[in-house]
């Protein structure tokens, strides 16, 4: 991925969203697993972990898989 020399938060946000849209358009080989721009606090982390845990359990994956993915997220 290219480096950036942007200075203002507005420029960074515009660049960020452009890169996300590029990934979502399917023109790049990358896969977007999570997208968030803004303040990140403990409540949001807890909610994200809950969503991931629920999704993994509903998919029928092993509990060990859930633990590994949540460890990466933390």
């Amino acid at each position: 991925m290219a480096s950036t020399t942007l200075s203002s938060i507005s420029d960074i946000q515009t660049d960020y969203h452009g890169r996300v849209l590029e990934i979502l358009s399917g023109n790049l080989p990358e896969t977007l697993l999570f997208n968030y721009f803004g303040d990140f606090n403990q409540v949001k982390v807890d909610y994200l972990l809950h969503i991931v845990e629920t999704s993994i359990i509903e998919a029928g994956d092993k509990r060990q898989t859930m633990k590994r993915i949540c460890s990466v997220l933390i």
Side-chain angles (χ1 to χ4, degrees):
M1 193 158 267
S3 63
T4 183
T5 58
L6 304 174
S7 58
S8 75
I9 190 71
S10 176
D11 291 340
I12 293 170
Q13 186 172 12
T14 300
D15 184 59
Y16 172 79
H17 288 296
R19 291 171 193 257
V20 167
L21 289 174
E22 188 177 5
I23 291 169
L24 292 175
S25 71
N27 294 332
L28 297 175
E30 288 89 357
T31 301
L32 183 66
L33 298 176
F34 181 73
N35 174 26
Y36 184 81
F37 188 91
D39 293 336
F40 211 67
N41 59 34
Q42 189 61 46
V43 172
K44 292 175 184 171
V45 170
D46 292 342
Y47 182 68
L48 174 62
L49 287 171
H50 173 71
I51 290 172
V52 169
E53 288 174 357
T54 303
S55 297
I56 292 170
I57 290 170
E58 288 176 358
D61 288 326
K62 297 177 184 174
R63 187 156 182 82
Q64 184 64 29
T65 301
M66 180 183 67
K67 287 181 179 182
R68 288 179 180 165
I69 291 174
C70 289
S71 292
V72 170
L73 288 173
I74 292 170

